[in-house]
Amino acid sequence: MINLALFGAGRIGKIHANNVAQLASVNLKYIIDVNQASAETLAARYQAQCVDTATALHDHSINAVIIASPTDTHADILIQAALAQKAIFCEKPIDLNSERVDECLRIIQQQDTLCVIGFNRRFDPQFAQLKQAINQGKVGQIQQIGITSRDPSPPPIEYIAHSGGLFRDMMIHDLDMARWLLDEEPCEVYANASCIIDPAIGDQDDVDSAMVILKTPSGKLCQINNSRATTYGYDQRIEVLGSQGMLQANNNTATNLCFSGGSGIIHEKPLHFFLERYADAYRLELAYFVHALQEKNINCTPNAYDGLQALRLADAALLSLKKNAAVRL
């Protein structure tokens, strides 16, 4: 039996708790959250106990931790867990400061700790098939990748204020996907962005619409476009152009129903938000982590190095925006 401690009883913590409950030979023993009422409610649902950080990390029966607490707590919990010899699943980002993430990476490596970062889109069945097709050479040599990620509506301003900004909070998922699909580290980043959806986001010195172009040493190009709002749902698409053809991963819909009539052809809107769109990805990433723990395999990805590289790209994009120029890496 693998015993887990879950840090965070909020929206993402609830997703992970539910997914843990569906895994054989895995027990959610502890839930830790500064909001005691939220922790107690979630603990009661899954027969877990509410404890503090020290109690959870000093319990030798705890094999691993899931860090789904607010971003500004990730690094401290991760370091404490690594030093306590616990395997770690940590939501992105590890921290908003790359030097702090680099420190976390060094400690993880020193402790030989299993650490998986929650870049869940790598585990989405559709995107995983896209990656497999690329690896099989179906499109030949990659020339261009286009990644579209658009939210149905902006998050609350209170969230924006502490998010680290669109590049580090939202686009970091797409930057990780770009590295994964390109299979080559970008050497140049150019970004442009605006605040044209919600002026309140601009008041927080953030943007709500952005485009980034990445270039690799071999000349591959990747264009990422993000928007904080659409009129039609959660837009998640990827296109890969290569020397032998093109691959497209399109939006998921609730059904494949399509109406054809005199006024045109009507398809369903994309699934409304990330909770529905990436439900399978959340489930599969946690199953992957548990399997790695069972097999004592610490060489898993996405890991803390992937988290650091994605954050460095986000930082470079923000610098490019400020300088209005491409940034060499």
Side-chain angles (χ1 to χ4, degrees):
M1 179 65 69
I2 290 176
N3 289 305
L4 301 179
L6 170 64
F7 289 83
R11 180 169 61 180
I12 303 301
K14 291 174 182 175
I15 293 172
H16 289 313
N18 181 64
N19 288 333
V20 168
Q22 298 176 46
L23 294 171
S25 302
V26 180
N27 174 50
L28 181 57
K29 186 172 183 179
Y30 295 138
I31 294 177
I32 306 96
D33 197 295
V34 294
N35 187 323
Q36 188 69 15
S38 295
E40 289 175 354
T41 299
L42 192 60
R45 187 181 305 166
Y46 296 103
Q47 293 78 55
Q49 302 173 51
C50 295
V51 297
D52 59 19
T53 298
T55 300
L57 295 182
H58 287 109
D59 184 340
H60 295 297
S61 73
I62 293 296
N63 306 103
V65 301
I66 299 172
I67 304 174
S69 49
T71 296
D72 59 4
T73 68
H74 289 184
D76 286 342
I77 298 171
L78 185 150
I79 289 172
Q80 291 179 67
L83 294 174
Q85 297 293 309
K86 311 299 184 187
I88 300 161
F89 178 93
C90 182
E91 279 296 333
K92 66 81 195 168
I94 297 172
D95 195 81
L96 297 175
N97 183 289
S98 60
E99 292 182 1
R100 180 70 162 151
V101 177
D102 196 34
E103 177 190 2
C104 292
L105 177 59
R106 288 196 302 272
I107 292 172
I108 288 167
Q109 292 172 337
Q110 290 167 2
Q111 298 295 315
D112 284 332
T113 301
L114 166 64
C115 180
V116 173
I117 302 302
F119 285 127
N120 62 346
R121 297 181 190 184
R122 294 194 187 199
F123 297 89
D124 173 71
Q126 187 171 202
F127 293 158
Q129 288 181 26
L130 177 73
K131 173 65 170 176
Q132 184 179 31
I134 291 171
N135 290 346
Q136 292 171 346
K138 288 193 174 179
V139 295
Q141 182 180 349
I142 292 177
Q143 297 168 345
Q144 297 180 9
I145 294 178
I147 300 176
T148 294
S149 181
R150 299 170 182 151
D151 286 347
S153 59
I157 292 301
E158 295 77 18
Y159 176 88
I160 294 286
H162 299 95
S163 69
L166 181 145
F167 294 109
R168 297 190 184 105
D169 171 57
M170 180 179 179
M171 191 179 286
I172 196 167
H173 273 294
D174 306 304
L175 294 167
D176 176 71
M177 288 296 289
R179 292 184 60 246
W180 186 52
L181 296 174
L182 289 166
D183 200 25
E184 184 181 8
E185 295 290 354
C187 64
E188 186 175 289
V189 180
Y190 176 74
N192 212 330
S194 305
C195 184
I196 53 177
I197 295 172
D198 186 349
I201 293 176
D203 293 340
Q204 296 297 324
D205 197 27
D206 198 5
V207 297
D208 53 31
S209 303
M211 290 190 175
V212 164
I213 296 176
L214 308 174
K215 185 177 181 179
T216 71
S218 68
K220 299 173 190 173
L221 297 173
C222 178
Q223 184 266 347
I224 299 170
N225 72 85
N226 280 183
S227 175
R228 285 291 192 186
T230 72
T231 59
Y232 54 88
Y234 191 47
D235 194 357
Q236 300 288 292
R237 291 173 286 130
I238 298 177
E239 180 177 289
V240 180
L241 176 67
S243 58
Q244 302 298 319
M246 180 177 68
L247 286 164
Q248 291 177 311
N250 292 312
N251 283 314
N252 288 4
T253 56
T255 73
N256 289 323
L257 218 61
C258 174
F259 171 76
S260 298
S263 59
I265 299 174
I266 302 173
H267 296 269
E268 290 193 33
K269 292 181 180 180
L271 294 175
H272 183 67
F273 204 28
F274 76 93
L275 297 176
E276 299 93 342
R277 173 63 181 82
Y278 290 117
D280 286 340
Y282 278 112
R283 177 178 54 81
L284 291 167
E285 69 175 352
L286 201 57
Y288 170 84
F289 171 68
V290 168
H291 179 72
L293 182 57
Q294 291 169 332
E295 296 296 317
K296 296 181 172 56
N297 177 17
I298 66 170
N299 299 312
C300 295
T301 57
N303 52 32
Y305 177 76
D306 295 307
L308 177 60
Q309 291 300 92
L311 182 61
R312 284 173 172 166
L313 289 175
D315 289 344
L318 187 59
L319 179 60
S320 172
L321 176 64
K322 290 178 178 178
K323 293 175 62 176
N324 191 29
V327 172
R328 296 283 299 178
L329 302 174

